[in-house]
Amino acid sequence: MDPVKPEEISHPPMDQLQGLEYCIDSNPPWGEAIALGFEHYILALGTAVMIPSFLVPMMGGDDGDKVRVVQTLLFIQGVNTLLQTLFGTRLPTVIGGSYAFMVPIISIIHDSSLTRIEDPQLRFLSTMRAVQGAVIVASSVQIILGFSQLWAICSRFFSPVGMVPVIALTGFGLFNRGFPVVGTCVEIGIPMLILFVLFSQYLKSFQFRQFPVVERFAMIIALIIVWAYAHLLTASGAYKHRPHQTQVNCRTDMSNLISSAPWIKIPYPLQWGAPSFDAGHAFAMMAAVLVSLVESTGAFKAAARLASATPPPPHVLSRGIGWQGIGILLNGLFGTLSGSSVSVENVGLLGSTRVGSRRVIQISAGFMIFFSMLGKFGALFASIPFTIFAAVYCVLFGLVASVGLSFLQFTNMNSLRNLFITGVSLFLGLSIPEYFRDFAVKALHGPAHTNAGWFNDFLNTIFSSSPMVALMIAVFLDNTLDYKESAKDRGLPWWAKFRTFKGDSRNEEFYTLPFNLNRFFPPS
């Protein structure tokens, strides 16, 4: 047998991911683009419904309040997505609600000054206004870091080795929203997971009139089948005598969104009244804003790869963070009970459909805005059981995580230094947040538990985020351990050309602002 040649067992590093049908600036036909935009809209509903469904009842709100918050969050998601794809990084990313804001918001809900209000509706409105005030103040962190280009300066300390754990844990760190949720209703979660994998991978070569309909719309096809199956189980009385929590996770009629939704309702700023401001609440919320900054940084880099674009230069990344800060300000002004970050599941869908087109995401933003105003129609789609979304997350979060791992191709993984940094950052990035979450479940408060509530919320929020922990550890180790002698091993020679806008000719194609705005905001 002839000896194997090195080129036969190795694969050269590639700046852009290959195999996509449409990249960031190429567009499918209008019919296909609209259908794909609707698919992204349906996927974005999971988080948009889950966050208000969890928080509004804790605040004393009723089903009508929950519907209004869902509609408002969807509306702002659409606006923020358009702003980001037009003026921010210009990557095909959906800007959705963020779970990073849950810890400080729950802390505000449990504030003694609010819990003593006896009237549930008044307590809901007072709590909403307190959350709005905190989010409005905290949004200034991303606005300042982004538009002042301070985040661009910080990102110059990033290397492929340092970014691998951050991007990977942007997906892996969400593991508790995957199969643990699927397990709450296995009779619809498992079929959804199996069908999605079957359609998107094993039947992707099936074509109708030379169009890969199954690959493009695997999620929608599987969702329709399982949603109909879940409705059949609900209508047949299969859950009539099951525990309440099982009914919430499995039934298609438990959200009460359709009956509570108005036919037409247009969200507007300060619709809940004038925000109230508290320094402690605002400081704690700043931790969530920092977490969403880091998580979005990882998601932006993953989206660039899945859109077959080059890594965004530091000033483009910083510009995107600045516009995300504007988005968080809008969250506060409109009252969405959340901040904003890049929707990781929608980034994963770029890879699943092999369509990384910016236009598709802009169309999905149009669907979000349109259906948020037409309450009954939007509520119909929003009534999909969250277990179905969790099954899809199992695939899409894993896909985003693997994109992070793919950055290892630009580094020397025969280096013990790189193995140490990657392994320790990944392990602690999973282990530390899991400790904080597990501690909070058992003790009903986080490990940080002093008399200063704002300080507790700040630390508990920071260390409950896997990408945030990974960034702190990986970037510190990467810039202190033999960093001068290890530039080539770290992947810096490859990374260097993407550190400036003019370092690579493709940057202009992917990241130039529309309407010739680069005249007023010249790239650095």
Side-chain angles (χ1 to χ4, degrees):
M1 182 177 178
D2 295 332
V4 179
K5 298 177 181 179
E7 58 268 21
E8 294 176 343
I9 60 174
S10 63
H11 305 277
M14 305 188 75
D15 292 345
Q16 295 173 263
L17 190 65
Q18 304 299 304
L20 273 78
E21 287 290 325
Y22 299 96
C23 67
I24 182 172
D25 54 357
S26 60
N27 300 311
W30 276 104
E32 183 182 350
I34 291 171
L36 285 165
F38 183 74
E39 188 171 32
H40 275 277
Y41 157 72
I42 291 294
L43 183 61
L45 282 173
T47 300
V49 174
M50 187 62 183
I51 292 176
S53 296
F54 180 76
L55 293 176
V56 170
M58 295 175 63
M59 299 162 60
D62 56 23
D63 290 335
D65 297 320
K66 181 171 68 174
V67 167
R68 285 186 65 191
V69 176
V70 170
Q71 287 180 282
T72 305
L73 181 53
L74 267 177
F75 180 83
I76 295 301
Q77 278 188 194
V79 172
N80 288 342
T81 299
L82 283 177
L83 290 175
Q84 190 64 238
T85 54
L86 285 172
F87 308 117
T89 60
R90 307 216 69 214
L91 288 165
T93 49
V94 170
I95 306 300
S98 172
Y99 287 98
F101 291 78
M102 296 284 273
V103 172
I105 289 177
I106 290 174
S107 178
I108 292 173
I109 292 172
H110 291 147
D111 189 293
S112 58
S113 64
L114 297 168
T115 55
R116 69 167 65 106
I117 300 175
E118 295 183 0
D119 180 37
Q121 187 62 27
L122 181 59
R123 179 157 56 90
F124 168 78
L125 290 173
S126 300
T127 306
M128 173 64 82
R129 293 164 187 167
V131 172
Q132 284 183 266
V135 171
I136 289 170
V137 174
S139 67
S140 62
V141 173
Q142 282 195 21
I143 293 173
I144 293 171
L145 287 176
F147 290 127
S148 69
Q149 292 295 307
L150 282 172
W151 190 240
I153 295 171
C154 294
S155 66
R156 295 183 188 277
F157 292 95
F158 302 162
S159 74
V161 169
M163 280 291 98
V164 165
V166 178
I167 303 171
L169 290 181
T170 299
F172 285 146
L174 297 170
F175 68 90
N176 59 339
R177 311 208 203 296
F179 202 84
V181 180
V182 172
T184 61
C185 188
V186 291
E187 55 265 42
I188 63 174
I190 296 294
M192 183 65 196
L193 177 58
I194 293 173
L195 286 177
F196 184 46
V197 172
L198 180 69
F199 291 147
S200 65
Q201 302 302 316
Y202 291 94
L203 299 179
K204 63 183 177 182
S205 58
F206 177 83
Q207 296 190 346
F208 177 75
R209 295 183 179 178
Q210 298 184 325
F211 175 69
V213 62
V214 176
E215 181 185 41
R216 289 286 191 279
F217 306 110
M219 191 203 83
I220 287 288
I221 296 170
L223 186 145
I224 291 173
I225 294 171
V226 177
W227 191 17
Y229 168 60
H231 187 71
L232 183 64
L233 289 176
T234 301
S236 65
Y239 301 113
K240 187 175 295 184
H241 303 294
R242 302 288 294 275
H244 175 72
Q245 194 56 45
T246 301
Q247 296 190 41
V248 170
N249 294 322
C250 301
R251 293 180 67 104
T252 58
D253 59 357
M254 288 295 289
S255 64
N256 295 326
L257 292 176
I258 299 175
S259 59
S260 304
W263 282 104
I264 297 177
K265 181 71 176 180
I266 301 175
Y268 56 91
L270 307 182
Q271 59 187 343
W272 309 104
S276 59
F277 297 92
D278 180 274
H281 294 165
F283 190 82
M285 198 67 72
M286 288 179 185
V289 170
L290 290 174
V291 167
S292 77
L293 181 153
V294 171
E295 292 177 350
S296 291
T297 297
F300 280 138
K301 292 184 180 294
R305 191 131 186 92
L306 288 173
S308 196
T310 52
H315 101 276
V316 171
L317 190 62
S318 197
R319 185 177 74 198
I321 292 301
W323 278 103
Q324 184 171 280
I326 296 291
I328 295 174
L329 176 61
L330 292 176
N331 283 114
L333 289 172
F334 280 76
T336 63
L337 276 186
S338 179
S340 291
S341 66
V342 175
S343 172
V344 178
E345 55 267 34
N346 288 90
V347 173
L349 191 60
L350 300 177
S352 175
T353 60
R354 296 197 299 131
V355 176
S357 170
R358 183 189 296 125
R359 177 181 290 173
V360 167
I361 300 301
Q362 291 171 337
I363 291 172
S364 77
F367 277 117
M368 293 176 206
I369 294 172
F370 179 74
F371 283 115
S372 69
M373 294 187 290
L374 295 180
K376 293 289 186 185
F377 294 101
L380 172 65
F381 301 120
S383 64
I384 300 169
F386 190 70
T387 309
I388 293 177
F389 290 109
V392 179
Y393 295 166
C394 291
V395 176
L396 300 183
F397 290 162
L399 183 55
V400 172
S402 67
V403 171
L405 297 178
S406 74
F407 277 80
L408 291 173
Q409 67 184 300
F410 308 113
T411 70
N412 177 16
M413 289 313 288
N414 290 314
S415 161
L416 281 174
R417 172 194 180 275
N418 287 355
L419 291 173
F420 175 83
I421 293 173
T422 305
V424 170
S425 302
L426 283 171
F427 183 83
L428 290 180
L430 286 170
S431 186
I432 292 176
E434 180 62 16
Y435 164 73
F436 270 72
R437 285 190 290 264
D438 189 54
F439 190 101
V441 169
K442 294 177 180 177
L444 300 180
H445 60 76
H449 188 56
T450 66
N451 292 328
W454 58 268
F455 179 76
N456 302 334
D457 294 338
F458 192 92
L459 287 185
N460 291 330
T461 301
I462 292 290
F463 289 102
S464 294
S465 166
S466 290
M468 187 73 180
V469 173
L471 180 91
M472 292 189 292
I473 296 172
V475 172
F476 174 78
L477 293 176
D478 189 39
N479 287 278
T480 55
L481 284 178
D482 304 325
Y483 64 97
K484 292 183 179 179
E485 299 82 8
S486 306
K488 187 175 179 181
D489 290 346
R490 298 167 66 194
L492 290 180
W494 170 79
W495 196 260
K497 60 184 176 182
F498 303 116
R499 289 195 168 196
T500 60
F501 190 80
K502 297 181 180 178
D504 190 284
S505 59
R506 293 166 292 183
N507 289 337
E508 186 173 354
E509 175 189 355
F510 300 140
Y511 300 114
T512 299
L513 290 171
F515 317 123
N516 208 17
L517 289 174
N518 275 54
R519 291 180 306 167
F520 308 105
F521 306 100
S524 55

